[in-house]
Amino acid sequence: MAETTPPETPDADADLEPAEAPEIGIEAQYIKDLSFESPLGPDAQAAVEQNPSVSVEVSTSARPIGPNRYEVALFIRGEAKGGDKSVFILELTYGAAITLSNVPEEAVAPILLIEGARLIFPFARNIVAEVSRDGGFPPLFINPIDFVQLYREQHMNEGNGAANGGGDA
């Protein structure tokens, strides 16, 4: 008996081109603004020996700067306090020019404010540690940040009318 092969059926997906994967690229990274203050001056060392409390605040923002180009900024503020006196205050705004391609419009903001921020964070973290050390204090090491949670918190605050630097991507 002769073998028969079933007639070929056209593949329903053959006419569809595969979607291109989203891409993110960093064109440049830079310090937009940097400030370091040691209000106690020569008395700061005595305050450091008493283990001052240290607080760190981080926020992100993004804005378009051209077709498929965006600026992502990380704002980091660190402050050491001994009692009610500031031992040091460090503020850094660290930016990056980022390009996106093959990204749906509704995904632009989360990609910039989560993945873009995650990509530049190690560089900003290093600057904070170096500047605080160069200011005469122990380096201020910032723990890793959950940028997904930060994104959620910032957008929840924006929804409540308290915009927190969440950006206009």
Side-chain angles (χ1 to χ4, degrees), residues 1 14 16 20 43 46 51 58 61-62 66-67 70-71 80 97 105-106 111 116-117 127 158 161 163 169:
M1 188 157 170
L16 300 176
E20 293 187 41
D43 297 332
N51 280 338
V58 178
S61 65
Y70 303 87
E71 179 184 57
E105 189 62 35
E106 65 275 3
I111 288 173
I127 292 167
E158 284 177 3

Side-chain angles (χ1 to χ4, degrees), residues 38-165:
S38 180
L40 297 179
D43 297 332
Q45 276 314 118
V48 168
E49 291 171 5
Q50 296 175 359
N51 280 338
S53 64
V54 178
S55 63
V56 176
E57 300 170 19
V58 178
S59 63
T60 58
S61 65
R63 67 182 183 95
I65 55 175
N68 298 321
R69 292 183 68 227
Y70 303 87
E71 179 184 57
V72 172
L74 269 176
F75 177 74
I76 300 172
R77 183 179 195 281
E79 182 174 10
K81 286 188 130 190
D84 62 343
K85 295 182 181 179
S86 290
V87 178
F88 74 79
I89 302 166
L90 188 152
E91 294 179 338
L92 170 67
T93 302
Y94 190 74
I98 293 182
T99 57
L100 295 180
S101 56
N102 307 317
V103 175
E105 189 62 35
E106 65 275 3
V108 169
I111 288 173
L112 292 172
L113 297 172
I114 296 169
E115 291 307 316
R118 189 184 334 251
L119 289 171
I120 66 173
F121 174 71
F123 302 96
R125 180 181 189 259
N126 186 61
I127 292 167
V128 167
E130 294 290 324
V131 168
S132 59
R133 188 203 64 199
D134 290 347
F137 299 94
L140 175 55
F141 292 118
I142 302 172
N143 289 327
I145 294 174
D146 181 350
F147 285 101
V148 172
Q149 183 62 32
L150 181 62
Y151 176 79
R152 288 180 183 146
E153 289 171 4
Q154 286 183 179
H155 285 285
M156 185 183 314
N157 288 339
E158 284 177 3
N160 294 333
N164 197 14

